[in-house]
Amino acid sequence: QAQLVQSGGGLVQPGGSLRLSCAGSGRAFSIYGMGWFRQSPGREREFVAGIDLTDNSALYADSVKGRFTISRDNAKNKVDLQMNNLKREDTAVYYCAAADKYVPASADTAHYWGQGSQVTVSS
């Protein structure tokens, strides 16, 4: 069984930082790429960042470039999302995603999903 388990999230003030983590287990050990998506009420689930686990190359949405960093941890199928200079517009439920043949860069290409983590940026 493939499983993605997220940790992190919470409430931070604008300009603050937060880190999310995601770990795959079971059949997820064979995945090719992992990424992060977010969804707020009334909006589609949108791509945030992705990483190719074969070479650690990363891709970011324009809205988070320069502020968010996706990285691979020591575990083969574990990735972190470091979020700096958070804005109110970043408030959303963040979902970890994975795919076994490519980096998931759109919601309909992801094969596996984490349970979601609430990130709220507010004063």
Side-chain angles (χ1 to χ4, degrees):
Q1 292 180 299
Q3 184 179 22
L4 299 179
V5 179
Q6 300 178 214
S7 61
L11 174 65
V12 297
Q13 294 185 346
S17 298
L18 197 63
R19 186 191 301 271
L20 300 176
S21 295
C22 177
S25 62
R27 293 172 183 168
F29 280 117
S30 65
I31 62 176
Y32 184 94
M34 298 181 68
W36 293 92
F37 293 75
R38 65 188 182 187
Q39 187 168 24
S40 57
R43 295 191 58 83
E44 298 288 323
R45 188 169 297 186
E46 66 175 355
F47 172 77
V48 175
I51 187 167
D52 184 331
L53 298 183
T54 68
D55 62 5
N56 295 330
S57 60
L59 179 67
Y60 298 95
D62 289 342
S63 60
V64 306
K65 285 182 179 178
R67 299 189 298 118
F68 290 10
T69 302
I70 186 170
S71 62
R72 183 180 183 179
D73 210 336
N74 290 330
K76 183 177 181 179
N77 293 320
K78 184 177 184 293
V79 295
D80 295 336
L81 183 68
Q82 177 65 43
M83 302 179 289
N84 296 326
N85 191 25
L86 283 160
K87 305 176 183 296
R88 292 183 179 86
E89 307 90 84
D90 297 318
T91 296
V93 177
Y94 284 69
Y95 296 91
C96 178
D100 57 12
K101 293 292 185 182
Y102 43 78
V103 178
S106 62
D108 58 358
T109 64
H111 296 146
Y112 313 102
W113 293 99
Q115 78 276 20
S117 300
Q118 178 68 51
V119 172
T120 301
V121 185
S122 177
S123 300

